[in-house]
Amino acid sequence: MEASFPCVILESAHLSLNPPPRGRVLVVGDVHGCRTELERLLAAANLTDDDRLIFVGDLVNNGPDSAGVVRIARERGALATVGNHELRLLRAKEQRQTSDLKRADYATIRALAPDDWNYLATMALTIEIPAWETLIVHGGFLPDIPWKKQSAATVTEVQVLDRRGRPQKRTLCPEGTPWADLWEGPPFVVYGHTPMREVARYSHALGIDTGCVYGGHLTGVLLPDRRLVQVPAARRYRG
Ligand SMILES: [Mn+2]
């Protein structure tokens, strides 16, 4: 890990697309290295030069080609919110310590080129499109705190809230309430991170992680119309 890595100040990285893009925005759910499925999704969405591509984060890890996915994001000029996987990689690199790393991280660290790391460092905590009252985030939000004030750990990791309203992983708190169920909006939130068999539809939120890496689907949503674009996983990459 080189010492010259740019410092990431994610806690303040809230991006606003104002004015909105002239065309549409395709928001893509958790890709996790599924490059083939991403290429198929992009072909199906048929974006024009006026359209914009945004990822909800977790582009990397567990799937077959993390570096290929980041390269596509770079080459397409895509924006992205940071996922818990990128946040862990960035923090490890920035602080030059490996104690938080998980097994899948090592293959990704070996595969990413310097330009890929620079791309990860540009990922925002949130991306807002004010004209469409829409907000993009990897994990989600707590209901009672202004969204801009919530920590990087919360917004990249929350799945459910426990009985005391604390953010938890779904597997550790199966009786918890999905955060999106408590989100009253506006803004309308498009998020990933909680893999579901089907797209998760709430009155003020849409969850688009349909578990591609687990053999589900890769999902995108076209804004502002919220039309879904989906491709099936070519195979199950992780159990
Ligand atoms: Mn995630």
Side-chain angles (χ1 to χ4, degrees):
M1 296 192 183
E2 63 271 41
S4 61
F5 188 68
C7 188
V8 191
I9 310 168
L10 285 159
E11 301 289 345
S12 58
H14 298 285
L15 215 68
S16 181
L17 294 188
N18 199 10
R22 278 188 297 180
R24 306 164 300 169
V25 169
L26 177 69
V27 187
V28 177
D30 304 42
V31 185
H32 280 305
C34 296
R35 178 181 48 80
T36 304
E37 289 81 357
L38 175 59
E39 286 169 343
R40 288 176 186 161
L41 186 79
L42 292 173
N46 199 17
L47 300 181
T48 72
D49 287 346
D50 285 343
D51 298 335
R52 192 93 219 227
L53 178 61
I54 299 181
F55 292 90
V56 299
D58 281 2
L59 282 73
V60 302
N61 282 359
N62 300 331
D65 191 3
S66 293
V69 170
V70 178
R71 190 181 60 242
I72 290 171
R74 281 199 282 113
E75 290 174 353
R76 293 258 186 165
L79 300 174
T81 57
V82 68
N84 51 309
H85 286 260
E86 288 93 10
L87 191 57
R88 193 172 62 242
L89 290 167
L90 287 165
R91 292 240 160 103
K93 183 131 179 153
E94 194 178 82
Q95 294 157 11
R96 274 172 263 148
Q97 51 88 6
T98 55
S99 55
D100 291 339
L101 291 178
K102 301 195 174 173
R103 226 177 72 185
D105 293 332
Y106 290 94
T108 302
I109 287 170
R110 280 195 300 274
L112 295 184
D115 281 350
D116 299 328
W117 284 103
N118 289 336
Y119 182 83
L120 298 197
T122 69
M123 294 170 86
L125 266 193
T126 64
I127 300 174
E128 189 187 11
I129 311 174
W132 300 345
E133 289 195 313
T134 298
L135 182 59
I136 298 153
V137 70
H138 180 64
F141 298 106
L142 304 178
D144 299 328
I145 305 172
W147 58 264
K148 268 191 195 175
K149 297 218 154 102
Q150 303 192 25
S151 70
T154 296
V155 305
T156 60
E157 298 212 23
V158 62
Q159 291 183 321
V160 299
L161 303 186
D162 67 15
R163 275 165 37 205
R164 293 174 167 184
R166 292 174 306 195
Q168 300 285 359
K169 283 180 81 162
R170 187 177 44 172
T171 48
L172 299 179
C173 184
E175 76 285 5
T177 307
W179 73 268
D181 209 17
L182 302 167
W183 181 255
E184 293 183 338
F188 185 88
V189 176
V190 179
Y191 69 99
H193 184 60
T194 304
M196 309 282 280
R197 199 173 285 276
E198 307 277 344
V199 164
R201 296 174 190 274
Y202 296 92
S203 21
H204 301 284
L206 184 72
I208 59 170
D209 180 2
T210 42
C212 187
V213 79
Y214 304 110
H217 290 77
L218 184 62
T219 296
V221 57
L222 284 161
L223 302 176
D225 296 343
R226 298 181 196 160
R227 184 164 73 78
L228 297 179
V229 190
Q230 246 183 4
V231 296
R235 50 171 283 235
R236 180 184 215 161
Y237 301 97
R238 192 184 152 110

